[in-house]
């Protein structure tokens, strides 16, 4: 499967789950329904970015954003 976007999807800390992950496919990536794949959770908080193993979409915290678990 090819990447749905060539530029990383920029995330705010509030876009992450309480555990610091984001799910893909994600509405922020503006994926068409036909381009969907199984929902996977990607750990963004640990390194600041994560790449979906299905579609190659990269999710990245915006510069200056910090995630802290509540």
């Amino acid at each position: 499967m090819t990447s749905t976007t060539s530029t990383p999807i920029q995330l705010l800390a509030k876009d992450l789950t309480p555990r610091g992950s984001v799910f893909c496919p994600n509405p922020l990536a503006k994926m068409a329904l036909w381009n969907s794949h199984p929902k996977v959770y990607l750990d963004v908080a640990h390194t600041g970015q994560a790449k979906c193993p299905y579609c190659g979409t990269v999710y990245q915290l915006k510069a200056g954003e910090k995630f802290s678990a509540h």
Side-chain angles (χ1 to χ4, degrees):
M1 188 175 256
T2 60
S3 176
T4 58
T5 181
S6 59
T7 59
I9 305 302
Q10 298 294 308
L11 303 169
L12 299 175
K14 69 179 182 99
D15 295 328
L16 303 181
T17 67
R19 294 187 176 199
S21 61
V22 66
F23 62 87
C24 188
N26 191 295
L28 296 173
K30 297 180 178 21
M31 294 179 184
L33 183 59
W34 62 266
N35 200 22
S36 297
H37 54 67
K39 183 186 244 184
V40 292
Y41 285 86
L42 308 166
D43 179 7
V44 175
H46 185 69
T47 63
Q49 74 175 30
K51 183 176 182 178
C52 177
Y54 286 100
C55 66
T57 300
V58 176
Y59 296 89
Q60 175 180 345
L61 279 177
K62 283 187 176 183
E65 286 289 309
K66 301 280 189 240
F67 174 80
S68 60
H70 297 67

